[in-house]
Amino acid sequence: MAFELIIADPSPTMKKIYQTALPETQYHLHFASNLEELFHLLETVTPELVITDQAIYENVTALLEFKQWLKREDHLPVFLTAGLFDRLPGEYVEQLKPEKILVKPFSLEAFFNTVREVIEKKHLPDTLPEELPEAKEQEIGAGVEGLFPELKHQVQLLVRQEMLEMERELEKRIKASLLRELRLTESSSKGSSEIDIKQEEKG
């Protein structure tokens, strides 16, 4: 099952970064570039998490409008993001009380793990029983049917954990591939510049 996420950020670059960090096999991403688009998505999508950048709020009044909408939802976590050199007004944090505050640029792996932990916290119990309670002999037969769903649930958790580890490995390979492409592009650009300079010198 893929989780629904709403991401409100005006940056096309950040959209690509989020798509790289959050695999579509696990997350359905819905993007908004401004507050109006965000409200439209909130009317049509039931998200597990909302990630908003401080840039979509023109002022505290706009943020309070979003906060008012959040009151209609029960325990909907919100991340607030901001650039390293952006001025994040203290009123934004005080009024919104976000689950997490993320400063860009952030580690893709750390971001992925944070999103996963917040969503799993909503769906999984805080603690699991250390041992099963003892059952009387006459209760064993009746309890077998109730045990199989529990075993199925445990298997699903193990499979999910295995998939997440595979996704982390895939992310590392994608990042390495992108870095190689960027280096090749940079080298190619430098080569073109040198050729242009030499042609100008000959002219």
Side-chain angles (χ1 to χ4, degrees), residues 1-20:
M1 179 184 70
F3 297 109
E4 307 287 339
L5 268 64
I6 291 179
I7 301 174
D9 194 307
S11 169
T13 300
M14 286 306 303
K15 178 178 179 179
K16 294 179 181 178
I17 290 174
Y18 286 124
Q19 288 172 326
T20 302

Side-chain angles (χ1 to χ4, degrees), residues 49-150:
L49 169 67
V50 176
I51 302 172
T52 69
D53 187 77
Q54 62 94 22
I56 71 164
Y57 305 109
E58 295 181 359
N59 48 46
V60 177
T61 302
L63 181 135
L64 290 177
E65 188 178 355
F66 174 59
K67 179 184 177 182
Q68 189 66 30
W69 189 95
L70 286 177
K71 291 182 179 179
R72 297 159 47 185
E73 298 298 311
D74 185 28
H75 304 300
L76 175 60
V78 175
F79 288 2
L80 182 61
T81 65
L84 181 62
F85 300 106
D86 292 337
R87 188 184 71 84
L88 181 60
E91 299 95 327
Y92 284 19
V93 178
E94 181 181 350
Q95 293 294 334
L96 191 57
K97 294 181 172 58
E99 184 88 10
K100 300 287 182 181
I101 299 175
L102 304 177
V103 178
K104 298 180 285 188
F106 43 72
S107 162
L108 295 188
E109 183 174 358
F111 171 72
F112 175 83
N113 290 335
T114 301
V115 170
R116 182 193 62 185
E117 290 168 5
V118 169
I119 292 179
E120 286 187 351
K121 185 178 178 181
K122 292 179 60 178
H123 293 273
L124 300 179
D126 293 333
T127 57
L128 294 174
E130 295 182 1
E131 56 183 83
L132 295 173
E134 294 184 4
K136 297 179 181 179
E137 185 176 351
Q138 62 268 26
E139 294 176 343
I140 294 177
V144 169
E145 292 184 2
L147 182 61
F148 285 128
E150 279 298 313

Side-chain angles (χ1 to χ4, degrees), residues 141 165 181:
E165 290 176 357
E181 291 182 10

